[in-house]
Structure formats: structure tokens, C-alpha cells
Amino acid sequence: MDGNFVYNKPVTGKNNIGRRGDISILGNLLSQSENVAIYEPEKTGKSSLIRQTFYNMRISSMQFCTAEFSLLNVRTIADYLLGLGSAVIKSAQLSVSDYAETVSRLLPQTHFVHDVQQFSDSGRILSLNWDIDDNDIRSLLELPYRIAGAKAQKMYVVLEEYQNIMLTEDGERVCRIQQKVFENLEPELRKWCSFIFVGSRVNAMKEIFEHRKFYFRQVEHLKLSGFENKEIIDQIIRGFMASGKVLDRDLMIGVCKLFRGNIWYINHFAAICDSLSKGYIMEPILLEALDTLISIHEPRFRSTMDDLTTFQLCLLRAILDGHKKFSSTEVIGKYRLNSSANVKRLRDALCKKEIITFDEKDEPVILDPLFEYWAKRYFFNINDD
């Protein structure tokens, strides 16, 4: 049973707050058959936003189906295509007896087949009877449009952790063919399907969509807005009131600031506070809850630090100290960064490890707010007070 503070799964309805503008924008883009890319750090509400958008579209009487596939464990092109194809065919709600005929009809002259034994063993509708060629990739990426068109029902394909396409043996090849599919689709087919590319490795997604410019003008980037502190505080206070507890609003302002409005951390934090308290929630309870939350995540934070070189740690310290430009003689000397060329390598390394990213002003942003707090207070012993 769900508690008052849900943090273990995507949420819709009364548990979903804020981002009404983002939900409206996403819904409008999808209704116009646009493709969308969403890349934000882990646990920042991407899945909740998509599910709430679908929920709103359905209650407004829109008819559509969804195919969702995660690339979390994808490391080969075959894994990607077979998993995606199986998800797309399942979304059409065909009977098992129709799978073989559907594969034969919609993927002709390809190396995809429906193997009954493989389906029985793994649940995958698609199998391969030869090595993958470009025609196989192109045909599979066109499959959602053909299935949706045949059913005359719109389909939305959600690809989670899409940055992992670049961990396959030739991710660029797949992206180039996907781009050609977008460019060459007949208008009659295009209207039946939209792709939503979702990624939690922000810099890896930027590499695909911004630096290498795959899908340029074929995919709209939706940058998520933050949550309003008032909405967060109102939700948390309602949650405590449901269990007969009271929390001062001023204390929650500090909580929102510490977690930079990250609703997942805040809900987890509130759930811990709820378990530690019986009535009025005072500051000592908040501090104990923060210690508990840090103890849960500290092994992950320590592992991150263990993976950094001395130079990378020095640059991270400079960022935590508030520096935004690192190539000045003063900063290079103070933090022993050696040279401006070395600074660039260090920036790239911290981005590749998804510890930091750079905003539109080319200023560093630490992606995980709790990691930032832990690194300051527990690793570098920086006291802002």
C-alpha cells in the first residue's frame, strides 16, 4: 500500500504536482506527431511527467497506444532492435497466434522472424535468423508507424535510457538510420507515431542531440521546469496532516533549498521523518532524517569519489567553492590544476562521469543535490555557515 510520500515509482493524479506547463507542452507536441527528447538527472520526475501527460490525454478522450522499452541493459544493436520490436508488437494487443503473420507481413525481406521456442523461453516476439543489416534496422524503426497506421490508432514509443544506444557496437549507425527514417517518412505514415527519447545521463544525451546533432529539427528537446517550493511544501504538509503530524512551513523551505526541489529526495526524506515522529516535527527530527538519508546513499557517493583522480577531485573542489571559470592563473594555481588544457580534460571527465554538467551560461552544475551536500560537508569539510 502506498504511504503518504511516494518515491518508489512514477506518480499520477493527486500525487503528481507541478509542471503543468511541461505536461501541456508535451501533450501538444505529441498530439501534433512531434518527436520529443527529455534528458534530466535520475529521479527528477521524467517518467511521472510522461505518465501524467498520457493520463491527461486519455481523459480528454484521445485514443492511442504506447510502447515502452528501456535500454538500461542494452549493449548490442540486436538487443535494441529485438527489444524495441517486441515492445511495439505487444502494444498492438495482438493475439499470440497473430505474431508470426504480423512479423512476416510488416517486416518482409528482413532477417526478423517469430520463433515460437524463443518466445516461449524469453517472451521476445522477434528473433533473428542472420546478421543485422541496414535494411533490418530501417524496417524495424519504421515498424511502429506501420503497425499504428494499420490499426488507425496513434502510437507513442517511449525509449528510456536512450543514451545507452551509444554503448552498442555501432550506435552512430543506428542513429543515422533513425534520422533517415524521420526525414523520409511519408506524411501519411508520420502522423501515426511519435518517439519520446528519455535519458538520465544528461551529458551522454547532450552528446547525441546537441553536440553530434542527431535528429536535428526532427526531435524537440523538452527541458523540464523546476517545482515551485509552495507546491512541494503544501504536498508534504498534507502528507503529514494525513497521519496527524505537524511541520513548520519555514523548516520545509530549508529542505527544498537543500534538495534543490528534487521531489524524489524530498518525498524520501519526508517518509523518513514520518517514521521517526509521533506529533509535532521539530528540527532535530529533520536532522536525524537527513543523516539517515545520507547513510543510505553514502556508499554510492564514496564509490563516485573513489573513481576520481586527484586532479578531478581538485576541480570538483573548485566547483564546490563556487568558482565558475577555471582557466585563470589564480584558480589553476590555488587548486593545482596545472594548465588550462588540463582543465578542459578535467571538465570533460567530470561530465562523462555524470557528476557535473554545464548550463546555457557555461557554468557548472552538480547534477545530484544530495551528493553536492555530502561532498561539501563530509568529504571536503566545507562549511557554508
Side-chain angles (χ1 to χ4, degrees):
M1 184 175 68
D2 292 338
N4 296 325
F5 309 103
V6 182
Y7 59 89
N8 62 324
K9 62 182 180 181
V11 296
T12 58
K14 66 182 180 65
N15 290 315
N16 189 284
I17 64 169
R19 289 181 173 162
R20 293 175 184 84
D22 296 344
I23 291 168
S24 177
I25 291 170
L26 179 58
N28 289 336
L29 289 170
L30 296 178
S31 66
Q32 295 167 22
S33 301
E34 298 286 349
N35 304 303
V36 182
I38 302 173
Y39 37 97
E40 302 286 339
E42 287 185 292
K43 303 298 184 181
T44 49
K46 301 181 291 297
S47 295
S48 294
L49 176 94
I50 293 168
R51 282 160 175 72
Q52 185 65 46
T53 301
F54 288 158
Y55 175 80
N56 289 357
M57 292 167 71
R58 285 197 168 98
I59 63 175
S60 66
S61 301
M62 290 185 65
Q63 300 295 315
F64 60 91
C65 63
T66 62
E68 301 185 25
F69 177 63
S70 172
L71 282 74
L72 180 64
N73 65 348
V74 165
R75 294 299 182 269
T76 68
I77 294 174
D79 287 340
Y80 173 55
L81 298 179
L82 295 175
L84 172 58
S86 295
V88 166
I89 294 172
K90 282 180 182 177
S91 74
Q93 297 181 335
L94 303 170
S95 65
V96 173
S97 60
D98 291 332
Y99 287 162
E101 186 275 332
T102 300
V103 173
S104 176
R105 175 168 50 86
L106 295 178
L107 292 169
Q109 299 178 331
T110 69
H111 298 116
F112 294 109
V113 296
H114 175 66
D115 186 303
V116 175
Q117 186 59 51
Q118 284 284 336
F119 176 68
S120 175
D121 292 341
S122 66
R124 277 192 172 178
I125 296 170
L126 288 182
S127 300
L128 283 162
N129 62 7
W130 201 255
D131 293 338
I132 292 171
D133 59 26
D134 286 1
N135 179 59
D136 293 334
I137 300 173
R138 182 172 51 255
S139 297
L140 193 287
L141 296 176
E142 291 175 352
L143 180 63
Y145 299 94
R146 301 196 182 282
I147 284 186
K151 290 190 64 180
Q153 183 181 61
K154 206 153 194 174
M155 178 183 294
Y156 298 120
V157 180
V158 182
L159 298 176
E160 298 177 356
E161 303 304 337
Y162 184 71
Q163 71 277 342
N164 285 4
I165 194 66
M166 289 304 181
L167 299 181
T168 65
E169 66 272 27
D170 196 351
E172 289 192 18
R173 175 190 178 197
V174 177
C175 291
R176 285 194 301 270
I177 295 173
Q178 177 82 75
Q179 184 166 300
K180 288 294 184 183
V181 168
F182 286 153
E183 291 171 354
N184 298 330
L185 270 175
E186 302 166 10
E188 183 60 28
L189 274 181
R190 183 187 304 275
K191 71 180 182 181
W192 291 114
C193 180
S194 295
F195 280 77
I196 307 176
F197 301 94
V198 186
S200 59
R201 310 271 300 171
V202 174
N203 297 306
M205 290 289 281
K206 283 184 177 180
E207 181 68 21
I208 295 171
F209 291 94
E210 297 180 21
H211 301 155
R212 301 194 191 188
K213 294 189 181 298
F214 284 117
Y215 319 136
F216 183 60
R217 294 184 177 174
Q218 302 292 333
V219 176
E220 293 290 331
H221 174 213
L222 177 58
K223 182 171 178 56
L224 302 190
S225 58
F227 293 99
E228 294 289 336
N229 281 356
K230 182 180 182 305
E231 290 179 311
I232 295 174
I233 293 169
D234 287 347
Q235 186 201 46
I236 297 302
I237 287 179
R238 281 196 302 271
F240 283 126
M241 288 178 63
S243 54
K245 296 169 186 176
V246 179
L247 172 65
D248 192 298
R249 297 182 73 91
D250 289 340
L251 291 176
M252 274 305 301
I253 291 173
V255 172
C256 291
K257 181 179 179 182
L258 188 153
F259 293 114
R260 299 205 312 258
N262 183 302
I263 195 68
W264 178 71
Y265 273 137
I266 291 171
N267 271 311
H268 194 180
F269 174 80
I272 296 171
C273 289
D274 198 25
S275 70
L276 293 173
S277 59
K278 292 183 178 179
Y280 198 87
I281 300 173
M282 306 292 286
E283 187 173 357
I285 292 291
L286 300 187
L287 294 175
E288 185 178 353
L290 180 58
D291 286 342
T292 301
L293 189 62
I294 288 172
S295 72
I296 293 169
H297 294 277
E298 189 168 32
R300 174 167 61 92
F301 297 158
R302 286 174 175 267
S303 178
T304 297
M305 290 301 199
D306 288 344
D307 195 39
L308 299 183
T309 67
T310 300
F311 282 127
Q312 290 165 5
L313 285 171
C314 290
L315 180 61
L316 180 59
R317 173 62 191 261
I319 294 170
L320 291 169
D321 282 342
H323 294 284
K324 302 182 186 302
K325 306 296 180 183
F326 313 109
S327 296
S328 69
T329 302
E330 178 185 358
V331 172
I332 288 174
K334 179 179 179 180
Y335 294 94
R336 305 185 304 280
L337 300 175
N338 272 4
S339 66
S340 57
N342 192 42
V343 166
K344 184 180 185 310
R345 289 191 290 271
L346 297 174
R347 280 179 42 142
D348 291 345
L350 292 183
C351 284
K352 190 171 184 179
K353 293 175 179 180
E354 298 291 340
I355 296 172
I356 65 170
T357 192
F358 285 84
D359 62 17
E360 298 82 1
K361 299 178 182 178
D362 199 35
E363 294 181 351
V365 177
I366 294 179
L367 291 166
D368 186 326
L370 187 61
F371 171 76
E372 179 177 11
Y373 177 84
W374 175 86
K376 275 186 175 182
R377 293 297 181 91
Y378 292 84
F379 191 87
F380 289 112
N381 296 313
I382 301 170
N383 195 331
D384 292 332
D385 298 335

